Amino acid sequence: MGEPPQPQPRAPRLDQAMAAQAARILPDTGTDVEAAKTLRTRMRQLPLRLRSTGFVAAFAFIHSKSGDTTAVARAYRDLRDLLIGRIAEEELLEDVTSDTAPAEFLRALSQADATAYARICVEADLVAGWMSRIADARYQAARPADTTGGAGESAEDAPSQEQA
């Protein structure tokens, strides 16, 4: 008899990869509750923004908010770069690489056919959902423990419908 088969490393599931990417690019706010709350609020808005305005407008917004050095701006900048990188990796747009400048990316995006654009929207929606979830988890971790003996979350802290 031979040796028992060795377990093969599993490829990460898509949702695991997206969660890891979102966790990696969201800044760690530590115990800064206000920074965590601001980041959570902005990231909670992403899925709805993508669905209501479309990916082109949402990407332009993300790019416009990525200019300064605040934690939120860094998150937007890293999100912008992650989206370009994912779309390049999946080869959803011709001539787009992970080094493509945002203006060139928008130009390529405006020329995408309907199938490619739909796939890009799905990718962006997955990323935005995980950004929202991770930002919410970091906010919850930054909050001090409830010492009042109150039961449950306030309406402000309850998951949005996007997360439910």
Side-chain angles (χ1 to χ4, degrees):
M1 290 218 264
E3 293 182 33
Q6 296 296 316
Q8 297 297 316
R10 294 184 316 166
R13 291 176 29 145
L14 180 61
D15 58 339
Q16 290 172 314
M18 292 283 187
Q21 288 175 328
R24 188 181 73 248
I25 69 172
L26 276 173
D28 186 2
T29 54
T31 58
D32 185 346
V33 176
E34 285 307 308
K37 185 176 181 180
T38 299
L39 193 60
R40 177 192 68 161
T41 298
R42 298 288 179 88
M43 294 303 121
R44 274 186 169 181
Q45 295 167 350
L46 279 176
L48 182 59
R49 181 177 301 278
L50 282 164
R51 292 178 192 136
S52 65
T53 66
F55 181 68
V56 173
F59 184 85
F61 173 82
I62 290 165
H63 177 55
S64 75
K65 296 297 184 185
S66 65
D68 62 35
T69 60
T70 65
V72 173
R74 284 192 311 273
Y76 279 128
R77 186 172 45 254
D78 291 346
L79 174 58
R80 175 198 68 198
D81 296 344
L82 172 64
L83 289 168
I84 292 171
R86 291 272 321 151
I87 290 161
E89 180 182 314
E90 296 295 321
E91 299 178 349
L92 298 177
L93 288 176
E94 194 172 313
D95 299 327
V96 169
T97 69
S98 59
D99 297 326
T100 299
E104 284 301 307
F105 177 75
L106 281 168
R107 182 198 54 74
L109 192 57
S110 70
Q111 298 172 353
D113 64 38
T115 303
Y117 188 79
R119 288 191 60 209
I120 289 165
C121 290
V122 168
E123 286 286 322
D125 193 51
L126 289 170
V127 171
W130 278 108
M131 295 290 285
S132 177
R133 290 179 193 101
I134 299 295
D136 189 54
R138 291 205 175 148
Y139 169 71
Q140 297 300 328
R143 288 183 25 192
D146 181 10
T147 58
T148 64
E153 300 175 325
S154 70
E156 175 185 307
D157 295 329
S160 68
Q161 288 187 359
E162 293 297 321
Q163 296 173 324

